[in-house]
Amino acid sequence: MSTPRAWWRGKTTPAKVETYTRWSFHFFGLIEISAIGLVAFGSVPEPFSVLVLVAVCAHAALCMAAASQALDWTRGRREQPIRMLGALGAATALIGIGALLLASHGPGGTDAAGAAGTVFVAVLGFGAGTMALGIRNRRRMLSMVAGFAVGAGSVSFPLGLSGPVALATAIAVLVTTGFLAFSSAFSVWLLDAVYTLDEARETRARLAVAEERLRFGRDLHDVMGRNLAVIALKSELAVQLARRERPEAVEQMIEVQRIARESQREVREVVRGYREADLGTELAGAQGVLTAAGIDCEVSGSAAGLPAPVQSALGWVVREATTNVLRHGNAARCVVTLRTVEGHVVLTVENDGVPDSAPGGGSGLAGLRERLSVVDGTLRAAPSGEGLFRLTARIPLPAPPAPPLSTPVLPSVSEVTP
């Protein structure tokens, strides 16, 4: 059997706020009974005191039920409780008019009239505050508050109250209904904000999971794309050599086996999340792979001295570009250039055999743009005319640290003493 403490702990934060809001409005009903109904019961003579207490209790119960249904409506769990709100408005008006008649024409003297007037203002205030829960339009809410105040003043004067008293009653109703209506609107706004924040937190968690899946898929694509292309190329070469009974077929299959084992190791590193691409290794590997595929590859530039994040990002660019050269088009020559221009590291990969309409998009290039954006880099991939396709990555270099200020050498005391 669960205890109230365990029941409360088992709720989510939005559910706790909703429970607190519901019980707050139920507590308003208890306040109406204890602070208004019981006080009037002790001040109004019989048999009117019993009628006042019963009417206030009935009105408080109706407010509790209407508040519960209105909160369900604000959370989208039911339709707008128009009938319940209409019944509450009608009951509020009838009880208020009865209390006003008792204040102006009932027995009991000044104390009874004051208690009946308090019942009139309080019933209108609690009724309007509860009805505000079922209204989302701000203008309608303000119109309802103004209507209660104007109605209270309009009814008070014909029922025997003097002009100043009727005006004071209308002002009291305006202040009371306005305050309680504002409290209801603020409570609904706070409840909606808590649920919205909770939904945003869940959405952020789902987006983080989706982003991690995309990162893993992108890394796996970058790792396996080139290796699978090389394995397919070398396997085809080994088949051709084996058909000719050439001994080099064995060497090609040994190389395929080595690349497959290297791919397994890289996949394990991707799963662990520790893998980083080394620019120097990727440049040498790209030249070796493209040369083995029969493509004349020329690499110029050195990665020495570049920051590790820049080398890692450009290493992925070299890997993806090599994969695209192997997979797409029929390139015979590829030129890879790495240089530093005006505080930027520029990597250019240009190959021939690609038509002018070759696409420059794809998931691989999109992943590269995401990687480069981390180091404020940009990527451009597009045909450059005459059957050439050029991929250019540009990353700004961090500013060098400022040299330390030199401390002036002061002359010693013996040097300045005559």
Side-chain angles (χ1 to χ4, degrees):
M1 184 177 180
S2 61
T3 61
R5 187 174 183 180
W7 168 77
W8 178 256
R9 287 184 175 181
K11 287 180 172 292
T12 61
T13 300
K16 290 180 180 179
V17 175
E18 181 178 354
T19 303
Y20 172 79
T21 303
R22 287 180 180 275
W23 283 105
S24 296
F25 284 101
H26 291 166
F27 188 68
F28 283 170
L30 298 179
I31 293 177
E32 183 179 1
I33 294 174
S34 59
I36 306 301
L38 294 180
V39 171
F41 180 78
S43 301
V44 178
E46 296 181 357
F48 297 102
S49 60
V50 177
L51 294 177
V52 170
L53 181 60
V54 171
V56 171
C57 291
H59 185 266
L62 191 60
C63 286
M64 293 181 186
S68 180
Q69 293 187 13
L71 288 175
D72 287 338
W73 170 66
T74 59
R75 298 308 315 145
R77 297 173 186 151
R78 60 169 300 150
E79 296 181 355
Q80 187 177 13
I82 298 178
R83 293 183 178 180
M84 176 62 72
L85 295 178
L88 176 61
T92 300
L94 291 176
I95 296 174
I97 292 175
L100 196 60
L101 286 173
L102 184 62
S104 57
H105 301 289
T110 305
D111 293 339
T118 303
V119 170
F120 172 71
V121 175
V123 165
L124 292 183
F126 282 110
T130 305
M131 294 175 64
L133 291 174
I135 301 175
R136 290 181 181 174
N137 190 287
R138 186 179 304 175
R139 292 183 178 179
R140 293 181 180 179
M141 190 179 302
L142 294 176
S143 300
M144 180 191 68
V145 172
F148 268 79
V150 173
S154 302
V155 173
S156 300
F157 188 74
L159 291 180
L161 298 181
S162 62
V165 175
L167 180 60
T169 302
I171 294 175
V173 170
L174 178 64
V175 173
T176 305
T177 55
F179 174 76
L180 292 177
F182 171 78
S183 300
S184 299
F186 179 77
S187 299
V188 172
W189 174 84
L190 180 62
L191 183 61
D192 291 340
V194 171
Y195 270 101
T196 301
L197 290 176
D198 186 69
E199 292 174 359
R201 181 185 60 81
E202 294 180 357
T203 302
R204 184 176 61 183
R206 288 194 298 267
L207 288 177
V209 173
E211 183 178 356
E212 183 63 18
R213 289 176 178 174
L214 289 175
R215 183 201 66 81
F216 179 78
R218 182 179 64 241
D219 290 353
L220 195 61
H221 168 270
D222 294 340
V223 167
M224 298 301 296
R226 187 193 66 177
N227 291 352
L228 290 177
V230 175
I231 288 174
L233 178 65
K234 287 187 173 293
S235 299
E236 183 179 356
L237 179 59
V239 170
Q240 298 295 332
L241 293 174
R243 287 177 178 176
R244 299 175 185 176
E245 298 182 356
R246 298 283 297 275
E248 292 86 350
V250 178
E251 298 178 359
Q252 295 296 328
M253 292 308 300
I254 293 175
E255 183 67 13
V256 168
Q257 187 180 28
R258 184 193 67 78
I259 296 175
R261 289 176 179 174
E262 182 69 16
S263 299
Q264 290 179 343
R265 182 186 64 82
E266 291 181 346
V267 168
R268 285 193 295 267
E269 291 178 352
V270 168
V271 173
R272 293 171 184 169
Y274 298 133
R275 187 176 187 278
E276 293 291 342
D278 180 72
L279 181 55
T281 303
E282 294 297 333
L283 288 173
Q287 187 173 22
V289 169
L290 294 176
T291 302
I295 301 174
D296 182 17
C297 182
E298 178 183 345
V299 177
S300 60
S302 174
L306 295 179
V310 175
Q311 289 201 38
S312 177
L314 293 180
W316 288 110
V317 174
V318 173
R319 177 178 286 268
E320 177 65 24
T322 305
T323 302
N324 290 339
V325 172
L326 291 173
R327 286 183 174 178
H328 308 296
N330 187 21
R333 189 170 185 272
C334 181
V335 178
V336 182
T337 305
L338 179 66
R339 65 186 188 277
T340 302
V341 180
E342 297 179 353
H344 289 73
V345 180
V346 181
L347 174 69
T348 304
V349 181
E350 187 177 73
N351 65 285
D352 58 4
V354 180
D356 293 340
S357 60
S363 59
L365 296 182
L368 290 182
R369 289 188 173 92
E370 293 180 6
R371 293 182 186 276
L372 291 174
S373 64
V374 176
V375 290
D376 298 328
T378 58
L379 180 73
R380 184 177 183 275
S384 58
E386 299 180 359
L388 299 178
F389 189 85
R390 181 179 300 161
L391 184 146
T392 304
R394 179 184 293 266
I395 300 177
L397 288 174
L405 298 176
S406 59
T407 304
V409 180
L410 299 177
S412 62
V413 178
S414 59
E415 293 177 348
V416 300
T417 304

